[in-house]
Amino acid sequence: MDFSLDYSLVMELCEAITIFCFGLSWPISIRKSLISKTAQGKSLFFEVFLLLGYAFGITRKIMQITVLDCSGMIFYLSFFFYILNFIEIGIDVALYFRNKKLDRLREESVVLANIR
C-alpha cells in the first residue's frame, strides 16, 4: 500500500477549511448589523480591506484555473468559499451604509427634539 501524501491536495484542503472557518463569522456579523440598526462598532476600513483580500483570492483562483489548469472538488470548494465570503462581506458593507444613515437620522431627530 502506498500512503504517500499528495501535498497539493492537502494544501487545497487547508485553504478551503481556512476560508470556510473565516466565512462562518459573516452570517453572525450580518445578523448583528440587521438587528442592531447601528454602524457603531463597525469598521468600514476593515471590511473594505477584507473585500480587497478576497478579491485577490478570487483572482488567484481564476488564474489557477486559466493558467495552471487546476481543478478538483476541493479546489472548486475553496473557490466557492472565496466568492461566498466576498458576497457576505459585501452585504455587511451595504448594511454598514444603511445603519450609518439610520444613526444620522436618529442624531438629527434628537437635535430637533432638543430644539423644541
Side-chain angles (χ1 to χ4, degrees):
M1 290 179 147
D2 183 18
F3 289 106
S4 61
L5 200 53
D6 180 358
Y7 287 105
S8 63
L9 177 65
V10 171
M11 288 188 295
E12 291 294 334
L13 184 59
C14 286
E15 181 182 26
I17 292 170
T18 300
I19 299 163
F20 173 75
C21 290
F22 287 156
L24 288 177
S25 64
W26 291 111
I28 296 166
S29 182
I30 290 168
R31 182 180 183 278
K32 181 181 177 191
S33 293
L34 281 168
I35 292 171
S36 71
K37 295 181 181 172
T38 183
Q40 293 179 356
K42 289 282 189 174
S43 171
L44 180 61
F45 187 73
F46 176 74
E47 289 191 352
V48 167
F49 271 100
L50 286 170
L51 275 174
L52 187 61
Y54 280 113
F56 277 105
I58 291 167
T59 302
R60 175 180 175 260
K61 288 296 185 186
I62 292 170
M63 291 173 70
Q64 284 180 304
I65 292 169
T66 57
V67 176
L68 301 176
D69 199 29
C70 292
S71 63
M73 187 184 90
I74 295 176
F75 174 84
Y76 288 110
L77 187 63
S78 63
F79 190 34
F80 168 76
F81 287 138
Y82 272 115
I83 293 170
L84 180 63
N85 289 351
F86 187 86
I87 291 168
E88 290 174 328
I89 296 169
I91 291 168
D92 208 34
V93 167
L95 288 170
Y96 171 87
F97 286 110
R98 179 203 74 161
N99 290 345
K100 196 76 171 165
K101 181 180 177 181
L102 292 174
D103 288 342
R104 189 180 71 249
L105 291 172
R106 275 191 295 274
E107 289 172 9
E108 288 173 0
S109 67
V110 167
V111 168
L112 287 175
N114 288 335
I115 291 174
R116 294 177 186 182

